[in-house]
Amino acid sequence: VYKRQPPSNPKDIRPLGGMYYDLSSVRLALTHSIGGRGGIVINKKWIVGGSAQANLAIGYNFIYLGLPAKIYTGQGGVWFGRFLFPDKAWNLALSNTLSGGVFGSEVRLSEPDQPLRTADAYNTEFFQWSPQLDVFVKVRPQIKLSATIGYRFTLGMKYNPVVNNSQMNSVFTQVGFTFGEF
């Protein structure tokens, strides 16, 4: 008995997504962020999706008007790229993220031994382009360990008195997990 096979889909489209921990530098101070990426993989090669990230403001590492300050950033945008070894247990991807976000800063007005008093110092919008190299290592069939290294180019911080464009430009690294069949 002959069983009729359904017609094959000429475009193999599969979802992927995951989260990561990011280390980068702003004004030569180490910043920590958490983020996520998701989208689709077309024909086991092309990545099209989005990303979002926010920094974790740990301490008053910056000075604004002679006072200690923290910075906060949040951004989101599109993620696109290409896998180089789609059928291997480890996979490389060359990808880019184009994102926009908001920069904010908080100034500590009180002395360290006094109750905390703060004020918002400055807020501005910015844009970033981040070319990157991603490595994905298969842990389980649908779970990959991911590691990324890239560089962020920033625009829009020209009139910010706390941090400027060149101080936001930075090498970054990310580690995390990605889920999906790719």
Side-chain angles (χ1 to χ4, degrees), residues 59-93:
Y60 293 90
N61 301 330
F62 303 92
I63 301 297
Y64 176 65
L65 299 176
L67 297 169
K70 281 185 185 182
I71 65 165
Y72 299 93
T73 60
Q75 64 199 61
V78 296
W79 173 46
F80 58 94
R82 187 182 193 294
F83 286 116
L84 302 179
F85 308 111
D87 295 319
K88 303 290 184 189
W90 62 276
N91 200 340
L92 292 177

Side-chain angles (χ1 to χ4, degrees), residues 64-134:
Y64 176 65
L65 299 176
L67 297 169
K70 281 185 185 182
I71 65 165
Y72 299 93
T73 60
Q75 64 199 61
V78 296
W79 173 46
F80 58 94
R82 187 182 193 294
F83 286 116
L84 302 179
F85 308 111
D87 295 319
K88 303 290 184 189
W90 62 276
N91 200 340
L92 292 177
L94 297 174
S95 64
N96 288 279
T97 304
L98 296 172
S99 60
V102 175
F103 171 94
S105 56
E106 172 186 295
V107 176
R108 183 180 182 124
L109 300 175
S110 56
E111 295 295 323
D113 57 343
Q114 298 175 345
L116 181 63
R117 285 188 10 225
T118 63
D120 289 335
Y122 196 83
N123 293 307
T124 190
E125 297 173 353
F126 65 90
F127 299 93
Q128 289 185 330
W129 169 52
S130 305
Q132 55 206 41
L133 172 67
D134 306 291

Side-chain angles (χ1 to χ4, degrees), residues 1-20:
V1 170
Y2 173 74
K3 288 189 175 183
R4 185 173 176 189
Q5 296 292 326
S8 63
N9 184 354
K11 298 263 188 227
D12 182 17
I13 297 175
R14 299 171 187 234
L16 81 154
M19 60 184 304
Y20 58 84

Side-chain angles (χ1 to χ4, degrees), residues 16-20 35-38 177-179:
L16 81 154
M19 60 184 304
Y20 58 84
R37 306 187 283 198
F177 286 95
T178 303
F179 304 95

